Amino acid sequence: MLATLLASIPVPSHPSLGAVTRELRHPPAFGFLFDVDGVLVRGSQPVPAARRAFQRLADSGGRLRVPVVFLTNAGNCLRSAKARELSQALGLQVSPEQVILSHSPLQLFSQFHERYMLVAGQGPMEENAYNLGFKHVVTIEALRKAYPLLDMVDLSRRPKQLFPNSSQKNLAGVILFGEPVRWETSLQLITDVLLSNGNPGAELQEVPYPHLPILACNMDLLWMAEAKMPRFGHGTFLLCLESIYKKVTGRELKYEALIGKPSPVTYHYAQYLIQQQAEKQGWKAPIQRLYAVGDNPMSDIYGANLYNNYLKSARHSQAQSCESILVCTGVYRHGENRETERRTEAQTGETVFHGHRDFCCDPSLLEASHIVQDVDDAVQLAFKKENWS
């Protein structure tokens, strides 16, 4: 079914300025999946090795010689904006069609596109939702204005007068695009929507279960910016929401879908775009090997290894492998991360697992196929394995 959904997505017929060059005598049988934060950039600053890596990947005209997809769990921006950021950081033109944000696979979930959906996060959420195919979306801020008595944590935002009940249409689901700015407001209103079956202005009767469907993007507990230590990611917000819901209802919060790395749905979508890049160049042979380069063992390495296991068991997949390459310029620091975890495990007697609750704690999935210093080393490693220059 997933392959059918992927095949139904329209592919742009025009080549992008960052398109893969047509001048190769021997078309590549491999492609790259690059994480962004901690691999190519740290916050707003490029990683020094990134430009060197892409100088190797590009020809003299600045066109990529192999298919490349930028696979990021960022989601509070537009694909076009992320492509412009990458173009500036890397010194060559990147097209939006080469960028996969955490929410990009949501265009496959057409069964929700006609429903009234609450969206949480920050940035251009409504525009992203509409671009993905959703027709009716309500933001947290719009819901707060419709039901001003719900948001009570910040005393300065409490209403000074009572308001009549809103006539807003009942919501039919929730999309969690990424971490919001005011966590307390989003946690409260999302919980209200789930407990009221989409009508947060109503009195609480019997708590519905199963609750309304939730589509969550980006499960990263931590991510790396300019600070010395990792920052909280959307996975931390999900952990808060899950804990609150269970404490209030005594039941587990359920997800209709968890997408973004390390979800296999996201990697399948990336493979589809890699192959489409190759086909646009007229290369008949399928892309057989993928190299996934990342800095976060839990999202990048776990996801690539999980998808590699899927490819090994799949009978009809064009790709044969997805090798994980871990770099030391972001969340992971060679030797440091595991030593910290070992000390914590020795003190608490519990295994440290930064993954989402719904993904199994399998230590083998956290072991990278290769560990290198930076993204330039990762490209050189793949080139050597492919006998490519």
Side-chain angles (χ1 to χ4, degrees):
M1 179 179 178
L2 180 58
T4 303
L5 290 169
L6 289 170
S8 69
I9 301 172
V11 179
S13 58
H14 58 85
S16 67
L17 291 176
V20 185
T21 179
R22 299 176 185 274
E23 299 173 0
L24 288 170
R25 296 179 181 177
H26 304 290
F30 66 102
F32 285 98
L33 312 180
F34 288 111
D35 178 41
V36 177
D37 292 299
V39 175
L40 304 177
V41 299
R42 288 275 299 269
S44 60
Q45 301 300 313
V47 172
R51 286 211 171 191
R52 296 197 302 272
F54 276 82
Q55 287 169 358
R56 297 182 194 280
L57 287 165
D59 66 10
S60 58
R63 296 171 298 183
L64 293 173
R65 299 187 292 141
V66 297
V68 166
V69 160
F70 300 93
L71 189 58
T72 173
N73 266 352
N76 294 322
C77 60
L78 298 172
R79 290 175 79 185
S80 57
K82 182 59 69 175
R84 286 194 298 272
E85 290 176 14
L86 287 168
S87 298
Q88 184 174 4
L90 301 176
L92 81 168
Q93 191 68 31
V94 174
S95 75
E97 291 79 19
Q98 292 173 284
V99 176
I100 298 180
L101 302 175
S102 61
H103 56 249
S104 295
L106 281 179
Q107 61 182 303
L108 305 177
F109 292 79
S110 57
Q111 68 271 35
F112 297 101
H113 288 174
E114 299 293 335
R115 302 187 188 184
Y116 281 80
M117 304 292 286
L118 177 67
V119 295
Q122 56 182 292
M125 292 177 294
E126 291 173 283
E127 187 174 353
N128 275 327
Y130 293 137
N131 289 341
L132 292 165
F134 294 92
K135 303 295 192 297
H136 313 285
V137 296
V138 177
T139 65
I140 291 288
E141 186 59 27
L143 187 67
R144 175 182 169 271
K145 289 180 179 178
Y147 299 98
L149 299 178
L150 300 182
D151 187 16
M152 288 285 146
V153 173
D154 187 340
L155 298 180
S156 67
R157 282 158 58 99
R158 289 185 179 181
K160 302 298 186 291
Q161 59 184 2
L162 295 178
F163 293 82
N165 290 333
S166 172
S167 59
Q168 180 172 297
K169 191 176 182 66
N170 282 11
L171 295 162
V174 180
I175 304 173
L176 305 177
F177 275 117
E179 58 271 24
V181 175
R182 288 181 171 270
W183 285 31
E184 79 283 358
T185 299
S186 293
L187 289 168
Q188 177 71 73
L189 269 61
I190 292 168
T191 302
D192 289 338
V193 167
L194 296 177
L195 296 181
S196 65
N197 207 31
N199 182 18
E203 290 187 19
L204 182 62
Q205 302 293 331
E206 183 178 351
V207 176
Y209 199 81
H211 52 68
L212 293 176
I214 301 175
L215 305 172
C217 315
N218 180 1
M219 296 158 272
D220 286 353
L221 186 75
L222 304 169
W223 67 287
M224 202 70 191
E226 291 96 339
K228 300 294 185 182
M229 293 188 294
R231 303 293 85 196
F232 290 152
H234 192 219
T236 308
F237 179 81
L238 297 181
L239 182 62
C240 294
L241 181 62
E242 293 156 10
S243 299
I244 291 170
Y245 185 85
K246 185 167 185 179
K247 193 71 173 179
V248 170
T249 68
R251 292 173 166 175
E252 295 284 353
L253 187 79
K254 301 293 185 182
Y255 296 94
E256 186 74 20
L258 286 163
I259 63 173
K261 297 176 291 186
S263 169
V265 173
T266 294
Y267 284 84
H268 200 147
Y269 186 65
Q271 179 194 339
Y272 169 80
L273 293 186
I274 285 282
Q275 189 60 48
Q276 288 300 322
Q277 283 187 41
E279 290 176 2
K280 281 197 296 183
Q281 307 311 310
W283 300 334
K284 305 294 184 182
I287 299 299
Q288 297 180 334
R289 293 172 296 282
L290 302 173
Y291 293 93
V293 184
D295 72 303
N296 190 327
M298 186 53 242
S299 59
D300 302 316
I301 303 308
Y302 187 108
N305 290 341
L306 187 63
Y307 192 61
N308 186 60
N309 289 349
Y310 163 78
L311 292 176
K312 297 298 184 185
S313 61
R315 296 181 179 179
H316 304 294
S317 176
Q318 290 181 322
Q320 298 174 357
S321 64
C322 181
E323 291 195 32
S324 55
I325 305 178
L326 182 62
V327 299
C328 302
T329 51
V331 169
Y332 179 80
R333 289 287 192 274
H334 191 67
E336 294 179 12
N337 303 64
R338 189 58 195 138
E339 183 58 34
T340 301
E341 290 173 2
R342 285 196 183 99
R343 286 198 297 266
T344 303
E345 290 169 1
Q347 293 169 357
T348 65
E350 296 183 3
T351 300
V352 176
F353 181 60
H354 289 171
H356 187 268
R357 174 200 70 187
D358 291 355
F359 285 75
C360 67
C361 180
D362 183 347
S364 68
L365 294 176
L366 297 170
E367 298 295 328
S369 304
H370 313 277
I371 300 177
V372 297
Q373 180 57 38
D374 55 42
V375 66
D376 188 34
D377 290 342
V379 170
Q380 292 185 67
L381 172 68
F383 278 9
K384 183 176 182 180
K385 289 176 66 65
E386 296 291 333
N387 194 25
W388 188 270
S389 60

